[in-house]
Every structure is written in C-alpha cells, then in structure tokens.
Amino acid sequence: FGVYEGVVPCADCEGIYTRVELDKAGTYRRIVHYLGKEDLNIYESDGSFLWNEEGNTITLEGAEGANMYFVAENRLIQLDLQGMKITGELAELYELKKQ
C-alpha cells in the first residue's frame, strides 16, 4: 500500500507519467499524464483493485489500458494487456517506485 510513481515509455510522446495510490481498503487512484503532447492529456481513474491467487499481482478494476501490476518490494511493475511481464530493451522502464 502507498503511492507509486514513474515515467513509462510511450510510442508517440516523451513518456507517460503514472501515479498509482493504493490504500488498505482495497481502492486505488491512478493519474496518467502523457508528456510532451499539445493537449493536457491527463487522465484520472479510481476504483477497487484485486489481488491474483498468488498474491503478487494487482488488477485495477475500471482502469483503461494497462491495469495490471506485479507487486515487488517498493515497486509496481507494469504488465502488458495479457498480464505478462514486459520484455525487451525497455522492460526495466515499466516500473513505478514507492514514494
């Protein structure tokens, strides 16, 4: 539980600033800001999050786009749309660090 932030890669912008706030009641608030776009492009969502059976991944209910995160020590690691870890050269950039 806590606040996690980071800038993840973006195909058509400078990066996507992402802030996820998780509380002990099982709810979240997520703020996503597409950096370098002419429009403001800030999106907010909130709702409940669910743990997987193994207790190592959360799904943000009602969030658009990537909404699954692997929970590591003081980090959330963004997963792809199928819930798999992102691989390749940029894989380590898909992390949000606990504040």
Side-chain angles (χ1 to χ4, degrees):
F1 307 106
V3 176
Y4 300 83
E5 293 180 329
V7 177
V8 298
C10 177
D12 64 347
C13 69
E14 296 171 12
I16 305 169
Y17 166 79
T18 305
R19 177 183 174 102
V20 176
E21 302 169 9
L22 302 175
D23 69 23
K24 291 180 182 178
T27 62
Y28 76 90
R29 178 177 178 171
R30 184 170 79 161
I31 300 168
V32 176
H33 180 193
Y34 289 80
L35 304 173
K37 292 281 198 171
E38 286 185 28
D39 297 330
L40 196 52
N41 290 308
I42 297 175
Y43 303 95
E44 295 185 33
S45 59
D46 57 12
S48 299
F49 65 89
L50 303 172
W51 290 93
N52 70 347
E53 288 182 16
E54 291 81 19
N56 61 13
T57 300
I58 59 170
T59 299
L60 306 181
E61 294 287 295
E64 291 185 28
N67 65 350
M68 296 178 74
Y69 294 90
F70 179 82
V71 180
E73 187 170 340
N74 296 317
R75 302 176 291 145
L76 294 180
I77 301 169
Q78 183 176 312
L79 302 176
D80 67 17
L81 296 175
Q82 288 75 40
M84 304 298 292
K85 286 189 177 178
I86 296 170
T87 59
E89 292 179 21
L90 302 177
E92 64 187 39
L93 299 177
Y94 286 91
E95 286 189 6
L96 307 180
K97 294 185 176 151
K98 190 170 188 176
Q99 302 302 301

